[in-house]
Amino acid sequence: MSDDFDWEGRYREDTARWDFCEVVPALEDWLIDQAPLTGKVVVPGCGRGHEAFAVARAWPEADVVGGDLSETAIREASETYDLPNLRFETGDFFAADGDGDLVAIIEHTCFCAIPPELRTVYRDTAARRLQAGGLLVAVFYLHPEETENDPDDGPPWGSSVPELNGRFGESFETLVSQVPERAFEGRKNRELFRVLKRR
Ligand SMILES: C[S@@+](CC[C@H](N)C(=O)[O-])C[C@H]1O[C@@H](n2cnc3c(N)ncnc32)[C@H](O)[C@@H]1O
């Protein structure tokens, strides 16, 4: 893939400033009210694994896989979190095999890590991997009120609500779309929590 951002270097140098060392509050809150899913769940761009661990703990009958391009992040995730239904794998989300094999994809700031020219591939990969009715649960990093996608707005590429609507509208139905009440410091009004259902 054409991604010139050095994710591995940021983890190796311990300058991964997006990492708050715990599960993102919006996902933590949502998990409380959900009936636990069974089946395979992937957390793409899982970094050091906080969200993958939270999902595996909340859904003990699910088989949860956290994936990331960065070997260092995956090693650290594996050293930190240990549950029987959780594993971590280094790899490119776009390159993984699988067709309708997932009940859910759960992500925190992975979409904004995908260069805009590859986001259609991201959408198509999610649509291919999810079974009909499967869920894409995401905490998107963006300005909820902004209507334009400014690719320089970070981190490292911007996104916007209209962009999300355009990219996901055809293959996914929006079940939940909200600006989270609870957010990490500095993230208030810089997130959109969405639950999208594969049509
Ligand atoms: C902004 S970070 C978020 C990491 C983690 N979700 C968190 O919130 O701490 C984006 C992550 O996506 C990973 N990433 C980027 N492109 C990827 C791809 N094509 N496949 C898998 N992981 C990818 C990066 O290595 C990085 O860990």
Side-chain angles (χ1 to χ4, degrees), residues 8 34 81 87 93 122 158 165 180:
E8 170 60 19
Q34 299 310 305
Y81 296 119
R87 68 180 195 279
F93 176 54
Y122 175 99
N165 294 343

Side-chain angles (χ1 to χ4, degrees), residues 88-111:
F88 293 101
E89 291 177 352
T90 305
D92 185 342
F93 176 54
F94 304 143
D97 290 334
D99 211 335
D101 58 319
L102 304 181
V103 294
I105 294 172
I106 301 196
E107 71 119 295
H108 174 216
T109 60
C110 182
F111 184 79

Side-chain angles (χ1 to χ4, degrees), residues 122-143:
Y122 175 99
R123 188 266 324 278
D124 291 346
T125 303
R128 167 174 59 82
R129 297 294 306 274
L130 284 169
Q131 62 187 43
L135 301 181
L136 171 58
V137 180
V139 181
F140 295 109
Y141 184 97
L142 44 68
H143 289 286

Side-chain angles (χ1 to χ4, degrees), residues 157-170:
W157 294 279
S159 54
S160 67
V161 176
E163 184 200 359
L164 296 181
N165 294 343
R167 286 199 195 273
F168 291 100
E170 205 170 297

Side-chain angles (χ1 to χ4, degrees), residues 7-168:
W7 296 106
E8 170 60 19
R10 298 292 292 276
Y11 285 107
R12 213 177 316 115
E13 294 155 11
D14 200 13
T15 54
R17 282 196 298 272
W18 55 83
D19 184 352
F20 288 82
C21 302
E22 57 184 307
V23 59
V24 62
L27 178 64
E28 186 175 42
D29 291 347
W30 180 78
L31 282 168
I32 289 168
D33 294 329
Q34 299 310 305
L37 292 186
T38 59
K40 187 170 176 185
V41 176
V42 161
V43 181
C46 72
R48 295 189 174 108
H50 317 303
E51 284 72 34
F53 173 72
V55 172
R57 187 174 53 182
W59 297 349
E61 303 301 321
D63 169 24
V64 179
V65 182
D68 202 285
L69 286 177
S70 164
E71 285 180 17
T72 298
I74 290 298
R75 180 176 45 71
E76 293 182 3
S78 307
E79 288 168 359
T80 308
Y81 296 119
D82 183 21
L83 285 174
N85 63 328
L86 173 64
R87 68 180 195 279
F88 293 101
E89 291 177 352
T90 305
D92 185 342
F93 176 54
F94 304 143
D97 290 334
D99 211 335
D101 58 319
L102 304 181
V103 294
I105 294 172
I106 301 196
E107 71 119 295
H108 174 216
T109 60
C110 182
F111 184 79
C112 66
I114 305 300
E117 68 273 17
L118 287 176
R119 288 180 177 167
T120 302
V121 185
Y122 175 99
R123 188 266 324 278
D124 291 346
T125 303
R128 167 174 59 82
R129 297 294 306 274
L130 284 169
Q131 62 187 43
L135 301 181
L136 171 58
V137 180
V139 181
F140 295 109
Y141 184 97
L142 44 68
H143 289 286
E145 305 303 330
E146 246 173 46
T147 53
E148 298 288 322
N149 175 15
D150 176 356
D152 297 326
D153 197 31
W157 294 279
S159 54
S160 67
V161 176
E163 184 200 359
L164 296 181
N165 294 343
R167 286 199 195 273
F168 291 100

Side-chain angles (χ1 to χ4, degrees), residues 164-193:
L164 296 181
N165 294 343
R167 286 199 195 273
F168 291 100
E170 205 170 297
S171 319
F172 291 87
E173 177 191 350
T174 302
L175 301 183
V176 177
S177 180
Q178 61 194 28
V179 178
E181 290 276 313
R182 267 192 341 119
F184 290 131
E185 202 181 329
R187 286 278 178 92
K188 195 87 182 148
N189 290 317
R190 289 304 314 265
E191 294 176 340
L192 186 71
F193 177 74

